[in-house]
Structures are given as C-alpha cells and as structure tokens.
Amino acid sequence: MSEPTSAEILTEATRRRTFAIISHPDAGKTTLTEKFLLYGGALGNEAGTVKARGGRRSATSDWMELEQQRGISITSTVLQFPYRDHVINLLDTPGHRDFSEDTYRVLAAADAAVMVLDAAKGIEPQTLKLFEVCRDREIPILSFINKWDRPALQPLELLDDIEEQLGLTPTPLSWPVGADTEFRGVLDQRTGDFVRFTRTARGSTMAPEEVVEPDRARAEEGSLYEDAVDEVGLLEAVGSSYDEETFLAGVTTPVFFGSALTNFGVRLLLDAVVDLTPAPSAKAVPERDPRPLDAPFSGFVFKVQANMDKSHRDRTAFFRVCSGRFERGMVVTHESTGKPLATKYAHTAFGTDRETLDIAWPGDIVGLVNANDVRIGDTLWTDEQVEFAPIPSFAPQHFAIARVTDTSRFKQFRSGVTQLDEEGVVQVLRDPDIGDQAPVLAAVGPMQFEVATHRLENEFGAPVELSMTNYSVARRTDDGSRNELRAMQGVDVLQRADGTMLALFESPYWLDRLVAERPELTLEPLIAGSG
Ligand code: G4P
C-alpha cells in the first residue's frame, strides 16, 4: 500500500468524531448509544441488538459472566459507525454505579463528551464525578436532557442545575414543545424550525420528523407551541445563546432535549456531535511540539484488557491513533521497550464482537490482541520517535490486603496480581520489607476489587481473601519521610510497582493537620483523581 499523503490523512482525520457518553446509571446511556447506532445505520433499520440484558447476552467468558450477574457493563468498548459523511467513534464508559479508573482512562481518548441527564433527576452524583474528569481534561460537553416523554423537572430548573452544580453555562440548542405524554417535538435553535416527531412502535425505528411552519404549529399545538416560543424568547433575552469558543473551552454546554426511548431529538443531537464537536487534533508531546496529524503513524494506549474472549485467553491493548495511518500488519515501535511490535491481530471491538480492522486514521481506536508487553499510557510509533505523556495513575480511596487462600497457589497469585496491576485493574502496593505475601490492592472504586478477586480466582486459579483496611487517603512521599511516617499511628508507607512511595492515612483530618504542622515531611497530594 502506498504511503498516505498529508491531504489524505487530514481529510480522514477531519471526518472523525471521537467522543464518550457520560451519565449516571439509568439516565439512558445504553439506550442513547443504541439509538445513535440506529441513526448511523449500523443496526440495519431496527434497534434492539446492542442493549442485551439478562439472558439475552451470550456469555463468552467469565468476565462476561460477572457482567451478567451484576447486569452491568464492566468492559469498555468502542463503537465505530458512519454518520452522514463522517466516521463516529463512540467510546463506551463503564456504566456501573461504582467509579473506576477505567472511566478516567477512556475519557483520556475522547475529544468530546455527551452528558446524558435524566429529565426527572438532573445532575446526579456519577454525572458530577465524570464531569469533573472532563473538566480536568478540558473537553467540550454537549448535554442531552433525556426522558422528556415522562414527567420531568421544569426545563429552566434543569438549566439552573447544570449551572449551579457544574459551573457550566447551559446554552440550549433545542427547546421542548410539550412534555411528558404531550411531548411533541423541539424548537431547533440552529435552524429556527419547529421539528415535530412521531412515535414509532417501541422506538425501534427512526422517529419520523416534520418541520412545521409557525402558523400551523400555533393552530395545531396551541399553547404547547406558544409557551415554548415564549421561553426561548426569554432565554435569548438573557443571552444564553450558543457560542463556539466557550463551548470548545468547556465553559458552556449546548443543551438538547429529547427522549432516547422514542428517538425524539436523537438525530439533532447526533448532528450536533458532527457539526459542533472537534475533529482530532495534533496530540501534545511533553517538552516538544505536538505531533502533527499528518506525521508518520503514532498511537497512544489508553486501555488494556485481558481475557475478553476466554477461548482465546488473550490480552487486548486499545490505542487511539494520534497521527498518520495505521495499517494492520505494520510493524510499529513500542516506545517503552524500544522493541518492534507486529500488528497482525488488529481489531475494532463492537460490543462483544470483534471485527478485523485493516486501516485506521487519527481519532480511530484499534484493539491489538496479544500485545502482551504493552501497558496503559504507552506510545506506539513508526519512522519518527515520539513519546506521549503517560495517563496519570489515580488517587486511590479504597485499600484492601490480599492473601491467597491456598498457599500452594502462591505463584499464580503473584503473577495474577502483577498482571492486574499492569492492566490497571487495581493498583498494587507492597511493603518492600514484606514483599509479595500480602500486597495491598488500591482502587478508586470498590468495584475494582470485585473484578480483581473474580479474575484472580477464575483466570489465575488463585482464590484470594481480601481484608479491607481503614486507610482512606494516599499521598506521595519519599525515602526521607518514610521512616518517620511509618512510626505514626494510622499511617503506612507502601510502594507502587513503578517505585513511587505512597503514604496511606486513615484520617484525612489528621493528614491535614500533619501537613500543616510538619511542612518538612514530603506529602504531595494526588490531585483530582490523578497522581
Ligand atoms: P443506562 O445505560 O444509563 O444505565 O440507562 P439505560 O439506557 O439502560 O436506561 C435505563 C432505563 O431508562 C431503561 O428502562 C430505559 O428503557 C429507560 N429509558 C431510557 N431512555 C428513556 C427515555 O427517553 N424515556 C423513557 N421513558 N425511558 C427511557 P428499564 O425499565 O430499566 O429497562 P428496559 O426494560 O426498558 O430495558
């Protein structure tokens, strides 16, 4: 295959939109994902194939079994589908109630986010946490107020909630006409049209849309239409109009109203993803100029997942293409080992299915099967060396001591724990004086422990017993402070595999006092979930 030209790479990159949906569980992320696929034509003409619940999902591994038992999605996948003349890469953030490091990492590969709110609930705890990660990364957010076909809060109340809880200025780009069972359609602020929708059976096919002229709208919808027009007039008067610059800076969020279930407003939202969210751009490189999109191939690993399919017993490293063209079979350099890496087994992951992938462009996500030495945060490249900044590891808040229950399985336990650490399932902390006997597993959310113990037992044949500790906060420390800290009550100092020393504290208040009273001790905060 001939080398791609700059123009070809830039054209392909410009067509890409790579984003994630963030929401609190039950707000409708799965439903909306499925409807995006429906509108992208990726489901044929009928929805209902992605969202598999209970017995409908076929179990391909223990991993999936755990998902099934919990009725949650633990594995993150990427869905790629065409829409208009664009290519959409939808990153799936894990949807469970518990927060895990995985979610942060997935957002590290996204250029934008769609925040889904339940119209009856507004901002919920998980939305807030995910939003904070987006804010840290300064990625632009579109907001979708979902379930407008049901009893909901007032639209202005929801806008206030976004403003007050997130500090984001909402700029509605669609406004609902009617609500609940009388939800008729939306005023599309981008065109000025009233778009009226029609329900379809179970929402399994696209909702027919009709642009209704104002006079007819008044005659047919009466006060539902007039009230909406008045409200929009008020909004315009207070200046909450869409503004590209502040949206891209993550200061304002365009808001859309709709119902994923009935497909109302889904097309308008997907159009906005294409029209408003940014295409991939040159990725920053520490202490150097960013790597241009049309430079030779480079990619950035943001997720490593083992055992997605038990019959393969494999390990898949997902990377985002940052520059150039990726071709399956090309030999790339794995920056952290300096070794060449063959890429014969490159895939896209679609739900739990895989498809072989031949070519990928900036913004696309590729899964490399059997990339055993590849770790989260690693850089892959060809022709011109580059190393992107690693994804930070996160400040854990839960700590548990792990012990193998059958000592004859200690070897398996040790290699399992090491692998889970490398994959970032949990962080593993050790006391250098004790070694591997009873490492402390550290996590951002307790669900990570469940996944770790399940995998240690089922994949490595090393059943473990976890004892939760009372530690609740970690700080980075060093050799100089270690001994003194260790002598204190309610404090321990342990080491990560990368050599970083973490001081663990039971009481955050006591830690604050110590920081204030003993400034000479090294106790660096691991800020905003990252460290
Ligand atoms: P999640 O991935 O964010 O957790 O949410 P999910 O899409 O699974 O939706 C949670 C529930 O909310 C589902 O109902 C779903 O059908 C419903 N839902 C999603 N969008 C809308 C909407 O626009 N309007 C209405 N009325 N309901 C919506 P469920 O009863 O838990 O599941 P199911 O039996 O319908 O599959």
Side-chain angles (χ1 to χ4, degrees), residues 25-31 51 53 146-147 149-150 259-261:
D26 282 340
K29 183 171 68 97
T30 314
T31 312
K51 188 176 166 188
R53 288 252 163 95
N146 189 30
K147 307 196 187 183
D149 60 306
R150 290 211 314 209
S259 154
L261 192 69

Side-chain angles (χ1 to χ4, degrees), residues 3 5 9 17 32 42 52 101 111 114 157 182 201 209 220 225 239 248 290 316 356 360 364 376 379 389 427 435 446:
E3 285 299 307
T5 61
I9 299 170
R17 293 293 180 275
L32 183 64
E101 298 183 40
D111 293 322
V114 168
E157 221 175 313
E182 295 197 304
E209 295 179 14
E220 291 176 7
Y225 174 75
L248 293 177
T316 305
T356 303
D364 287 344
I376 289 161
T379 301
Q427 293 179 34

Side-chain angles (χ1 to χ4, degrees), residues 408-482:
S408 71
R409 308 296 296 169
F410 182 68
K411 227 175 97 191
Q412 288 81 353
F413 169 70
R414 195 163 57 184
S415 70
V417 164
T418 305
Q419 173 149 346
L420 297 182
D421 194 13
E422 286 169 3
E423 277 180 41
V425 172
V426 283
Q427 293 179 34
V428 179
L429 310 179
R430 296 181 176 85
D431 182 336
D433 301 339
I434 300 178
D436 281 335
Q437 297 299 334
V440 169
L441 308 187
V444 175
M447 173 75 80
Q448 291 173 251
F449 293 142
E450 219 171 304
V451 174
T453 49
H454 185 89
R455 287 189 52 192
L456 283 169
E457 180 163 350
N458 292 283
E459 204 176 305
F460 298 92
V464 290
E465 186 182 66
L466 285 192
S467 355
M468 293 306 294
T469 69
N470 290 328
Y471 299 119
S472 64
V473 55
R475 289 287 171 100
R476 191 184 294 115
T477 186
D478 58 16
D479 268 334
S481 305
R482 175 172 179 245

Side-chain angles (χ1 to χ4, degrees), residues 311-325:
S311 60
H312 293 258
R313 276 224 162 260
D314 55 16
R315 183 165 156 174
T316 305
F318 290 93
F319 66 85
R320 176 183 154 125
V321 179
C322 301
S323 66
R325 180 177 69 189

Side-chain angles (χ1 to χ4, degrees), residues 21-35 51-53 56 71 73 92-93 95-97 116-118 144-151 183 199 258-264 266:
I21 300 181
I22 60 173
S23 68
H24 192 83
D26 282 340
K29 183 171 68 97
T30 314
T31 312
L32 183 64
T33 301
E34 181 167 295
K35 299 314 175 73
K51 188 176 166 188
R53 288 252 163 95
R56 280 197 280 152
S73 159
D92 185 15
T93 52
H96 44 80
R97 239 161 248 287
V116 180
L117 305 183
D118 182 326
F144 183 66
I145 298 185
N146 189 30
K147 307 196 187 183
W148 205 254
D149 60 306
R150 290 211 314 209
F183 183 28
R199 273 180 182 251
S259 154
L261 192 69
T262 60
N263 302 331
F264 287 19
V266 171

